[in-house]
Structure formats: C-alpha cells, structure tokens
Amino acid sequence: MRIVAWNVNRNLEQKICDSDFCAVISDYDVIFLSECWIQPGTSLKCDWLNDEFEYKCFPRLKGKDGGLVLLYRKTLRSDAPCLNIGGTCQDDHHVCSGSYVSGLCSGGANRRCCSVGNDAPCLNIGGTCQDDHQHCSGSFVSGLCSGDTHRRCCSTQSSSGTDSGMCSNVKVYSRASWGAKSPTHVSTMHTPVSLFFVHHTEGNACHDFTSCAIQMRNIQNYHMATRGWSDIGYSFLVGEDGAVYEGRGWHHVGAHTQNYNSRGFGVSVMGNFMHRKPNNAALNAIKNLIQCGIDTGYVTSGYSLYGHRDVGTTDCPGDDLYNEIRTWSHYNTQKPQR
C-alpha cells in the first residue's frame, strides 16, 4: 500500500507509509501532512487544524520521546468526481475559494465540491466543459469554462439561459442559469415588504445573456471574496438585454441598502448611469419585476420606491437613473424610518 501526503510545512511530497503505520490508517487517504510535537505522557493535540477539513491525528509509531503527528483527511471513493476536477469535498457552510458544485461528493446534501477552477458555472447548469471542435449533444455556451476560447460548456440548456418562470411578465434568469456559487449562509426574508431600492453596479453594462452572466459571476466573486459577504448582495440585477438576473431573490435578506436590507428588496442595473439612463428594456424590466413582486405577494401594493442615495451617502444609482425613477408613481420623497 502506498500513501502519499502533501507536507504543508515543507512543500514536499513524501512517501510516508510502512506496514505497521498503514495498518493504523488503512481507511484513510492522506491529503495533508502537518507536524505537531507532543510531549511524552500528554494527550494528543494538534495545533494545525482547519475546521474546513475532516481530520484525524495519528502519532508516529517510531519515536516515543515525542513524535510527528500526521493530519489526514478521509477521502471516500464516491468523492472521486470532485477530486477529478481538482475540487475538495466539504460542508457548504464553509467558505469556498472557488465555486460549489452539487452532486460530486459523498455524504449529505450539504457536503459539496468546492472547485477552485472556473468550470463550476458550467457544471452548475449540468453542462460539460470540452473543446468546441468536439460534438455537443446540446449547444455550446461561452464564458462558463476555464481554459482557452475553444474550451466551452456543452449544455442541453438553451444558450440564452433558462427562464426561472418566477414571473410571467418578465424573464428572470435563475441563479443556476448564470452559474452562481452557493451562499455561505442565508437569512429568511419576511414578506411582503413595503420598500424597494434601485441601485447601479457602476461596472460594465451588458446587452446579452452571455455578457450579463459573466458580469453576475464577477459581481458575486467581488462581494464574497473581497467584501466577505455570504453571497451576491442584491436581491435582483437587471441587464440591458431586458432580463432580470436572480441574486438573493425574494426569500433571502440581501446586502444592498444598509439599515433596510430586511425591510426591502434591492435591484441593481448592471452598468454606470451617472451620465446616461439605462435603455428602455432595462427600465421596463425593473417596473415589471416590482409588479411581479406585488402579484406574487412579496411586495405590498402601496410600496415606496427609493434610490440608494436617498438612504445612504452615495451617488448610487447614478444621476440619470436616479432622475428617471423620481418620475415613477411610487417614488417617495420622504425618507423611510429605520
């Protein structure tokens, strides 16, 4: 039996197995190795323990005056699909430096594959990353795979994304459709709410599903990796393709408008609207989304509409978009109470 470990202290790959030692750890595949010294007669204690990993510590059998303690992570055979894409199986309430992919790990539903590659958006919609010169039983979608431009996602879903069907009056692309990561935790939104806030992202605009989906993933990565949030902050986002993209949605508290996140929804138009308005397709998508919220019982019919700057020190949602929403019937000049 050959067991190989990665020594995180010395960056060395070592063959560490002998017949006696293998008997002790026969149920384990060694992934991590760490040195923790213990005194004779004391209980086993490892100083290098990361709660993102399932671990066990074993004293080295040779060396009775204190010894090398090895850290292992148990790897079940059914984790192989995750390992094959360079991922790590872990509980999905832990932070993942890449994206979570379902169905590739053993264990319960919360034990998922953390993939640090960029193939996760393709896998999340049931696709396969491959060279686009090869046959695809569905259609190729760009922007969902790592590698060069010819490595694309072969998906049986429409190349224009999948409408979630949550609203009959506007196309709403689901999280899975644009390749969202799973949130690290969620808080339930108590509805209906009476406040609706309009934002802009101040980043790049987008005019089709592929470019908007890329923007969605970039925004989510920024919110989670840089700001340390549990998910993309907005409830919904809107592109100038006239579609809505699901963020935290109707059911979860957002991180878009400080002091009001649990009392209202936030929609953000992708782009910078200081010196121009979004096109009519995007403006109509906002209006239709709000009406959808009313029709489905998530927003009160007498709701109040605000721009982000109405309740915070910011120029969001941009001068031109702000001046536009001030002409809408539900815009409220009175600042809401906290």
Side-chain angles (χ1 to χ4, degrees), residues 87-105:
T88 303
C89 290
Q90 63 185 50
D91 194 294
D92 63 9
H93 75 270
H94 294 304
V95 174
C96 172
S97 59
S99 302
Y100 276 116
V101 184
S102 299
L104 302 184
C105 295

Side-chain angles (χ1 to χ4, degrees), residues 37-98:
W37 293 96
I38 56 174
Q39 297 298 319
T42 62
S43 59
L44 180 65
K45 180 180 179 181
C46 287
D47 294 324
W48 189 86
L49 294 181
N50 186 329
D51 63 7
E52 289 190 14
F53 301 107
E54 192 177 334
Y55 55 81
K56 282 203 173 182
C57 295
F58 299 91
R60 191 169 62 179
L61 298 182
K62 300 174 182 178
K64 297 180 180 178
D65 294 331
L68 182 67
V69 175
L70 303 177
L71 182 65
Y72 300 87
R73 177 165 177 204
K74 188 170 184 179
T75 307
L76 302 177
R77 291 183 184 276
S78 55
D79 289 350
C82 174
L83 300 178
N84 287 341
I85 64 169
T88 303
C89 290
Q90 63 185 50
D91 194 294
D92 63 9
H93 75 270
H94 294 304
V95 174
C96 172
S97 59

Side-chain angles (χ1 to χ4, degrees), residues 2-325:
R2 181 178 185 271
I3 299 182
V4 174
W6 185 256
N7 186 321
V8 296
N9 295 319
R10 295 177 180 167
N11 290 327
L12 297 174
E13 189 181 76
Q14 299 179 349
K15 182 178 179 181
I16 60 166
C17 186
D18 58 42
S19 59
D20 292 334
F21 197 73
C22 284
V24 177
I25 60 171
S26 60
D27 290 336
Y28 290 81
D29 291 333
V30 179
I31 296 181
F32 296 101
L33 165 65
S34 182
E35 294 175 326
C36 307
W37 293 96
I38 56 174
Q39 297 298 319
T42 62
S43 59
L44 180 65
K45 180 180 179 181
C46 287
D47 294 324
W48 189 86
L49 294 181
N50 186 329
D51 63 7
E52 289 190 14
F53 301 107
E54 192 177 334
Y55 55 81
K56 282 203 173 182
C57 295
F58 299 91
R60 191 169 62 179
L61 298 182
K62 300 174 182 178
K64 297 180 180 178
D65 294 331
L68 182 67
V69 175
L70 303 177
L71 182 65
Y72 300 87
R73 177 165 177 204
K74 188 170 184 179
T75 307
L76 302 177
R77 291 183 184 276
S78 55
D79 289 350
C82 174
L83 300 178
N84 287 341
I85 64 169
T88 303
C89 290
Q90 63 185 50
D91 194 294
D92 63 9
H93 75 270
H94 294 304
V95 174
C96 172
S97 59
S99 302
Y100 276 116
V101 184
S102 299
L104 302 184
C105 295
S106 62
N110 291 332
R111 192 165 184 270
R112 305 173 69 207
C113 182
C114 173
S115 173
V116 296
N118 293 324
D119 290 354
C122 174
L123 298 173
N124 279 336
I125 63 171
T128 303
C129 289
Q130 63 184 59
D131 191 290
D132 61 10
H133 294 102
Q134 298 175 340
H135 173 72
C136 173
S137 59
S139 58
F140 282 111
V141 184
S142 300
L144 301 185
C145 295
S146 59
D148 61 31
T149 56
H150 289 293
R151 193 165 184 271
R152 303 170 69 202
C153 182
C154 173
S155 173
T156 56
Q157 293 188 10
S158 167
S159 62
S160 60
T162 302
D163 189 345
S164 67
M166 69 171 63
C167 296
S168 60
N169 61 341
V170 63
K171 180 174 287 187
V172 182
Y173 290 122
S174 67
R175 290 173 61 91
S177 185
W178 58 264
K181 300 176 185 178
S182 295
T184 56
H185 71 268
V186 297
S187 298
T188 300
M189 191 77 169
H190 298 290
T191 56
V193 300
S194 60
L195 305 177
F196 216 100
F197 299 94
V198 177
H199 301 250
H200 71 163
T201 64
E202 291 190 282
N204 293 330
C206 59
H207 297 84
D208 55 62
F209 171 76
T210 298
S211 61
C212 288
I214 291 172
Q215 286 301 309
M216 291 294 294
R217 295 193 295 275
N218 289 341
I219 294 166
Q220 186 184 43
N221 286 337
Y222 172 70
H223 285 180
M224 296 181 74
T226 302
R227 293 197 169 185
W229 296 350
S230 61
D231 195 0
I232 192 169
Y234 306 112
S235 307
F236 297 93
L237 292 93
V238 169
E240 289 187 283
D241 57 346
V244 175
Y245 293 77
E246 183 184 16
R248 299 200 187 188
W250 300 120
H251 301 291
H252 297 144
V253 176
H256 47 80
T257 313
Q258 189 174 13
N259 299 314
Y260 299 95
N261 289 319
S262 63
R263 298 175 50 203
F265 294 111
V267 61
S268 187
V269 187
M270 287 181 269
N272 188 320
F273 301 102
M274 284 296 294
H275 305 297
R276 73 174 183 92
K277 289 194 302 185
N279 63 17
N280 287 333
L283 295 174
N284 288 332
I286 299 173
K287 295 176 181 178
N288 291 335
L289 175 68
I290 297 173
Q291 185 60 51
C292 171
I294 296 171
D295 295 341
T296 51
Y298 298 115
V299 180
T300 62
S301 59
Y303 74 94
S304 292
L305 180 70
Y306 298 95
H308 187 191
R309 66 175 65 180
D310 289 322
V311 292
T313 306
T314 176
D315 60 12
C316 182
D319 289 348
D320 281 17
L321 177 54
Y322 181 65
N323 289 334
E324 167 66 24
I325 66 168

